[in-house]
Amino acid sequence: MSDLNATREAAASKVSKAGGFPEQEQQPPGSTTAMNPVPDHGEDTWVGRDRLVGLKALITGGDSGIGRAVAIAFAREGCDVALSYLSEEQSDAEDVARLVEEAGRRCVLLPGDLQDESTCRQVVDEAAEQLGGLDVLVNNAGLQWGRRNSGLADLETEEMDRVFRTNLYGLFWVTQQALEHLGEGASIINVSSIQAYDPSTALIDYAATKAAINNFTVNLAAEVGPKGIRVNAVAPGPIWTPLQPATKKGESMPKFGEDTPLGRAGQPSELAGAFVYLASPAEASYVSGTVLGVTGGKPVF
Ligand code: NAD
Ligand code: MG
């Protein structure tokens, strides 16, 4: 079996296709080790091929889920990383730092709440200072709140405010500050969602932020293209990360991901390749202003 098939098989085998995941709930932001089963971030499978050698990346929300898989893959491809995350998740972040260092790369840990403008600016400047520059920004930190019965009528201002501040304000501030450090050949990768195209009524605020992130991606790509900076987004489908049991009703977990053409949720490890590709100045040199879907078959157009 090829390396690639072995990787795919290892990821897919973590999901029981019949019956899905056990019922479970956590409090946000959620913890990786409390999940059943623990997600696959490519710990045992990602094989680096020197695709990002010498680059320096800041990954927001890099402690768990998709961000953790990206951090592991980036490190094994030769990239030093800085991770931003909510401080409640220190032990998740320390686990990622250990994996990055085992790959022979530097890992800078930057806890802080990106709902706050000055924290956003500090996190970016600290990442650039400690890594000695910045080449890639992955805007991955995000929040949803899905324990609602329906849509707009159930939307509470406090939850909506937190979702908009985390997913949009934080992303705008972090990106604005990062552009002080990014130069020709650099790239920005935003994390969108299938929710931007096929929104669920219970996620009406979250889905709107993800549609806005797609619009921001295209607009910023136009602005910074002349400087040789590329801007893209990845739109994941249903992915098994702490975000799910931490923000959705426990009884929805067994069916999570079943409504995709591939009939299952994805593992974080199955997202990493999209990020490595978009970050690579050699492989994606002419790719900007696009949204790459990793959705298990749901359309992103
Ligand atoms: P996750 O909970 O593992 O990761 C999100 C991380 O964002 C958190 O761990 C936390 O450290 C960070 N974060 C949240 N609020 C923050 C704040 N205010 N300040 C700083 N950091 C903050 O979940 P995930 O599923 O890996 O989410 C990563 C991204 O993927 C999010 O943008 C999410 O919207 C997106 N996404 C996830 C799915 C999915 O099914 N899991 C689908 C589509 C899109
Ligand atoms: Mg987390």
Side-chain angles (χ1 to χ4, degrees):
M1 198 186 313
S2 72
D3 283 355
L4 192 58
N5 282 339
T7 303
R8 287 201 188 111
E9 196 159 289
S13 70
K14 298 278 170 82
V15 182
S16 157
K17 288 180 192 170
F21 304 102
E23 279 194 28
Q24 59 200 288
E25 273 187 18
Q26 294 189 36
Q27 286 311 305
S31 126
T32 302
T33 46
M35 291 177 75
N36 177 22
V38 170
D40 175 16
H41 311 92
E43 290 91 340
D44 299 328
T45 48
W46 190 272
V47 180
R49 294 180 180 82
D50 293 341
R51 294 158 75 189
L52 305 176
V53 170
L55 299 185
K56 300 159 198 309
L58 168 60
I59 304 166
T60 69
D63 60 299
S64 59
I66 295 166
R68 178 188 293 223
V70 173
I72 292 169
F74 275 24
R76 292 186 187 175
E77 297 294 344
C79 183
D80 288 336
V81 298
L83 310 177
S84 111
Y85 54 97
L86 285 171
S87 53
E88 295 94 300
E89 299 166 272
Q90 191 66 21
S91 73
D92 270 359
E94 283 164 3
D95 288 344
V96 187
R98 187 177 39 76
L99 287 157
V100 168
E101 283 157 9
E102 280 171 13
R105 308 313 312 182
R106 290 198 56 200
C107 188
V108 176
L109 295 185
L110 300 168
D113 189 341
L114 299 179
Q115 294 178 84
D116 174 63
E117 179 177 350
S118 62
T119 304
C120 289
R121 298 193 187 285
Q122 274 166 24
V123 159
V124 172
D125 287 347
E126 195 67 23
E129 192 185 320
Q130 291 202 41
L131 294 176
L134 203 58
D135 306 292
V136 182
L137 168 64
V138 179
N139 278 315
N140 167 72
L143 180 76
Q144 64 181 24
W145 194 257
R147 277 181 204 148
R148 297 175 186 136
N149 292 319
S150 66
L152 196 57
D154 278 355
L155 186 62
E156 288 180 17
T157 301
E158 202 179 314
E159 289 170 6
M160 182 175 86
D161 204 35
R162 199 172 149 191
V163 166
F164 274 72
R165 287 188 79 83
T166 305
N167 297 9
L168 282 180
Y169 282 51
L171 179 141
F172 272 64
W173 288 322
V174 165
T175 307
Q176 205 174 37
Q177 195 64 25
L179 285 168
E180 300 286 315
H181 304 279
L182 299 173
E184 178 150 14
S187 84
I188 297 169
I189 307 170
N190 300 318
V191 179
S192 175
S193 170
I194 186 62
Q195 289 290 326
Y197 304 90
D198 182 17
S200 308
T201 51
L203 295 174
I204 191 163
D205 50 345
Y206 173 85
T209 67
K210 295 300 183 177
I213 287 170
N214 287 349
N215 183 281
F216 174 83
T217 299
V218 173
N219 202 342
L220 189 68
E223 181 185 325
V224 301
K227 296 179 183 160
I229 300 172
R230 299 177 297 105
V231 187
N232 293 291
V234 172
I239 309 300
W240 186 238
T241 72
L243 187 70
Q244 301 302 338
T247 63
K248 286 193 178 152
K249 290 183 181 174
E251 67 255 33
S252 69
M253 293 298 107
K255 288 197 169 306
F256 179 61
E258 269 183 22
D259 64 341
T260 60
L262 291 181
R264 63 172 178 87
Q267 291 290 329
S269 58
E270 295 177 284
L271 271 291
F275 289 85
V276 170
Y277 167 65
L278 291 173
S280 164
E283 293 178 36
S285 54
Y286 200 55
V287 181
S288 193
T290 200
V291 183
L292 176 51
V294 186
T295 60
K298 285 202 164 188
V300 291
F301 48 80

